[in-house]
Amino acid sequence: CLQEPDIVRCVSLSWSRCQVFIKAKMQSDDKRRAHFQNVLPFPGIKTYVDPDTYEDPTQAVHEFTKEIDPSRIRIERVIGAGEFGEVCSGCLRTPGQKEIPVAIKTLKGGYVEPQRRDFLREASIMGQFDNPNIIRLEGVVTKSRPVMIVVEYMENGSLDSFLRQHDGHFTVVQLVGMLHGVASGMTYLSDLGYVHRDLAARNILVDEGLVCKVSDFGLSRVLEDHPEPAYNTMGDKIPVRWTAPEAITYRKFSSASDVWSFGIVMWEVMSYGERPYWEMSNQDVILSIEEGYRLPVPMDCPGVLHQLMLHCWQKERGQRPHFNSLVSFLDKLIRNPTSLLTLVDNR
Ligand code: ACK
């Protein structure tokens, strides 16, 4: 909708320039509307704001993250390779002069602007979250090089490799406790209207007290440089083994498709980091799921947990449980561990 000052401006422009002006104005109004629809669908209820609704993504970084002075960061060692550069461990001096352990994701030199934008996109998503089961963003360094994202340090690294290194070491209640943490984090995200799309044990981090936190909010990884690459018929790259059939086929990503992925994470946890569907090809996984095949119960896994996995893998997404009921169910199992004693005889 053009307002009076806009019309006055139009009169002083030539007609073709005026048309361009009207179009640009309408587009920016649409964007602003989309942005406010994201921010305020229900007044008083916090929702996630997609940084892509900002005309200038740098604005989202300013809004949702804190700039850290690099003199407060001490990098100690490289702990892994991220999609955009090295991941290091180190310390961050807080304003109260305390030092806290942190992980530092760096953007490697020679990047082009879209890579910088994608890299910082994850920070503007993470910066909106505040939950004990979601990895906490400390801040970003954008005003000097290297560009960095600083997050809380998780002593035991990613859940899949942690479980593989400790095969058979935990009680069922401890494993269910880990899953309870993941489900709590996912409840928080789905309540905010955030769909993760890449929930997998490799994207969960574990701290020294075995608390599990959801991480990896860079959607770009799903679409571009993913460790589990496979194309669907629409040409998207998708982590097939973790993804619900409707998301693979029709891009119908939702909290219900995240619940399917959560079922796969349950299976990964109960089998101590086994690869879902083992060496089956992605195409065979898709066909088998379509024919009704589902992953069998892992060794020593209580039947009640496999039943819960099967519930998450219902073909009809409307019939899958919500994350909040998964949390209540897992909570009851932890409080009443006798229900975890019955194993499935799968010999
Ligand atoms: O399995 P890992 O030890 O845990 O190896 C990977 C590596 O960096 C590349 O992603 C580790 N990593 C990532 N974020 C963190 C973090 N916040 N705290 C500790 N380790 C992390 C991850």
Side-chain angles (χ1 to χ4, degrees), residues 29-42 47 49 53 63:
D29 281 352
D30 281 350
K31 279 203 170 167
R32 203 169 305 138
R33 244 191 314 278
H35 173 68
F36 281 109
Q37 271 162 6
N38 259 334
V39 179
L40 292 172
F42 306 106
T47 53
V49 182
T53 58
E63 204 153 308

Side-chain angles (χ1 to χ4, degrees), residues 17 60 79 115 125 134 139 146 149 152 158 293 312 315 319 321:
R17 283 182 62 206
I79 54 174
Q115 285 169 321
I125 295 172
I134 304 291
I149 298 178
E152 67 178 307
S158 36
Y293 170 82
C312 296
K315 188 176 167 51
Q319 288 175 10

